Amino acid sequence: QKKKYKQSNKYTPWPPAPTPSKIDIALETGAYWNKQWREDNLRRLSAEQKFIKNKMLREQQQVNKRQTLKKKFKTIKRIQKEMRFVAPRERDSNV
């Protein structure tokens, strides 16, 4: 009888390698040395700006939630309509 050899799995190191940060990527590409990029990406937000940003995010989430609920409601309405529908009787062609 032939022996069955078990294939060895590919080695995956643990813990996985860390993902590069936004600054690391910018340093590699050279964008970090661009003053405009630093102003846009590394600027700290004031409390008002954070509040406005969070408010906009919450509003967007509420809109998305309303849209999904509308879709669900439409499907429920559609199901109810289909259940109310009664197909007409078929006539026998032989008679």
Side-chain angles (χ1 to χ4, degrees):
Q1 289 182 344
K2 292 184 180 179
K3 291 183 179 180
K4 294 182 180 178
Y5 290 101
K6 187 176 183 181
Q7 288 183 338
S8 60
N9 296 336
K10 185 178 177 182
Y11 175 72
T12 53
W14 185 259
T19 56
S21 68
K22 181 168 50 172
I23 296 175
D24 292 336
I25 294 170
L27 283 169
E28 289 175 10
T29 60
Y32 183 80
W33 309 112
N34 183 348
K35 186 176 180 181
Q36 185 65 37
W37 183 91
R38 280 185 288 173
E39 288 176 359
D40 294 342
N41 292 286
L42 302 179
R43 178 179 50 127
R44 293 187 183 252
L45 299 176
S46 68
E48 293 174 5
Q49 291 171 329
K50 285 182 183 178
F51 178 77
I52 292 169
K53 186 177 179 182
N54 287 337
K55 185 178 177 182
M56 290 174 58
L57 212 158
R58 276 186 265 127
E59 288 174 357
Q60 184 62 35
Q61 288 174 343
Q62 287 176 349
V63 168
N64 290 344
K65 190 174 181 179
R66 272 190 241 125
Q67 288 176 348
T68 55
L69 287 175
K70 282 183 180 179
K71 286 181 183 177
K72 285 183 182 179
F73 187 67
K74 285 181 181 178
T75 56
I76 291 170
K77 272 187 167 180
R78 188 74 188 159
I79 291 169
Q80 290 172 346
K81 186 177 181 180
E82 288 173 357
M83 291 177 73
R84 279 183 276 160
F85 176 74
V86 178
R89 291 183 156 220
E90 293 183 15
R91 297 183 181 168
D92 291 336
S93 59
N94 298 339
V95 177

